[in-house]
Amino acid sequence: MSELKSGHRVLTCINCPLGCTLDVEIADGEVVRVTGNTCKRGEVYGRKEVTNPTRIVTSSVFVSGSSTGARTVSCKTASDVPKDKIFDVIDAVRGVTVPCPVHIGDVIVPDAAGCGVDVIATKEVF
Amino acid sequence: MIYDLIVIGGGPAGLAAASAAHDAGSREILVLERDERLGGILNQCIHNGFGLHTFKEELTGPEYAQRYIDILTGKGIEYKTDTMVLDISSDKDTLIKTVTAVSGSDGLTVYSAYAVVLAMGCRERSRGALNIPGYRPAGIFSAGTAQRLVNIEGYLPGRRVVILGSGDIGLIMARRMTLEGAKVLACAELMPYSGGLKRNIVQCLDDFGIPLLLSHTVTEIRGKERVTGVVISEVGEDRKPIPGTERFYECDTLLLSVGLLPENELSKELGTEISPVTGGPVVSESFETSVPGVFAAGNVLHVHDLVDFVSEEAAAAGAHAAAFAAELKDRAGAPDTELRDRGIEITFDGGPRYTVPQFINPAHVSGPVKVRFRVGSVLKNRVVKVLFDGNCVLSKKRNVMAPGEMEELLLKEELFAGNRGLKEIRISVEEESV
Ligand code: SF4
């Protein structure tokens, strides 16, 4: 990870749709202050976004043998993954087909793209 | 039999209304859903970000829907899917409602109820209203249609994409199609501000380097059989294209994300008064429409940004509908018409385009009243004041207000307790004095 540049970074907190504008102050390679947040999550996000940005990745994969005629089931990473791994996770789930029934929380792809995070189903499909 | 309550629509609003009506004591509840499964639009909103307010965790759309479906089945609430409501009417004397619906399994069926909750949601504005010159080649989709194709059908509708309009579904689809291997060239927005939530701009455009062209619009669509490209022009303050700013984008797909409209065909035929601003019914603090015993909530009432607020609003409507049903049942067909006085119309100045509810009857207020509104342009450093007969009873500082984000004011029950004779409720948005 490259050395953090001193100064201010202005970010939009994405943890909830309020979208507070955060001002992250960086000095001597460290985050010294976060302002503009409405709640604690904003501060945590602001610190993380400048040091190690992450995202939840969502997608959908094909199913087979659905009694309701469903073609796909939606899925997500069980927790957030580094931002630069988003495309690797998508590649790992592309082309996957899972047999029905599928339940919320079922593992679709374990340890996707070597991130140590499973991709799990987010819909009940029969 | 006469149901206590029939809920029209099994999306997020309908599910929350039914659940809250059950909590408020209604037992004979019926939810009618046109699609084959409950959950409505949430089923195709596979991204996360739902539920932080309602469940204190971040869920995807289908997971959020399933939480409510589980609540509904847990309470034993009756629902019918694949059922299309054709007509709703209300008897002028008894106030009993008749709901006519059709389904493959039951055929044409007529249901009766003491109260009805309208929860039909909204639909997308179509291209027809936009009048872009050009043929009508294949490759033009509403953002919601593209969302269904990619997320439900598993089919990518294009490879090189331009998005017109910066509504949330368009932004979400910019990311989704990029992840699926498409190249999203730009998102053009006619207005000088985005129609979508800030978080979606960050997560769906900025994360992938997709430019958001504010004050731009598509002025020409090229291609006869299939879209081959679009011309994007800058617009002036009058929102008219500025000659000489045209730029050609080679693409095979144009997504339209130019706004949503409450779905109110049924409400109009029923005779509810519709607000020309929201496109939804005019309601009181109880979410009751101008037709007694008919309530409305969620996107059918006014388009929301957040499903959590849809659920909250619908839960309030459901509880009020349950109370109405209980009262009407008690009176055995002799409704007290005086109780139906909808009260004072909320007036406003300095920014809001509308409020929901539009009316408050101080005598009917039980519990806090949430007044939601949207502003018509981006406003900075404002104070939002609520004035009762000219006296400020609430003031709230707002650094930024934007049309894309709904505002809300919480009016506590105590405010109305001492103000039964209230004549005027005014919301005034003023510049902050330094
Ligand atoms: S700081 Fe808190 S309130 Fe503001 S956007 Fe982030 S999570 Fe939401």
Side-chain angles (χ1 to χ4, degrees), chain A residues 12 14-15 17 19 21 55-56 58-60 62 71-72 74 76 83 86 90 94 104 122-124, chain B residues 37 43 46-48 52 60 62-63 66 151-154 176 179-180 198-199 202-203 207 306 405:
Chain A
T12 303
I14 58 165
N15 278 289
T21 302
R55 300 287 186 265
I56 296 269
T58 63
S59 189
S60 65
F62 287 106
R71 288 171 52 80
T72 62
S74 52
K76 69 174 183 184
K83 198 174 146 186
I86 294 176
I90 291 289
R94 181 170 294 130
I104 288 178
T122 56
K123 196 185 275 183
E124 299 282 316
Chain B
R37 64 191 290 163
N43 285 314
I46 65 167
H47 54 283
N48 70 317
L52 262 165
T60 63
E63 292 171 301
Q66 193 62 43
N151 294 349
I152 307 276
E153 308 297 331
R176 188 73 185 106
L179 290 178
E180 287 306 320
K198 261 196 276 181
R199 70 177 323 226
V202 173
Q203 274 189 315
D207 268 10
L306 268 189
E405 321 228 353

Side-chain angles (χ1 to χ4, degrees), chain A residues 12-22 36-43 45, chain B residues 52-53:
Chain A
T12 303
C13 178
I14 58 165
N15 278 289
C16 91
L18 266 181
C20 295
T21 302
L22 309 176
N37 52 313
T38 303
C39 74
K40 182 80 185 154
R41 293 161 55 89
E43 185 185 331
Y45 172 80
Chain B
L52 262 165
H53 295 258

Side-chain angles (χ1 to χ4, degrees), chain B residues 12-13 15-21 24 68 287 297 309-321:
Chain B
L15 295 173
S19 163
Y68 271 98
F287 297 102
F309 294 160
V310 166
S311 299
E312 185 194 289
E313 184 178 281
H320 287 297

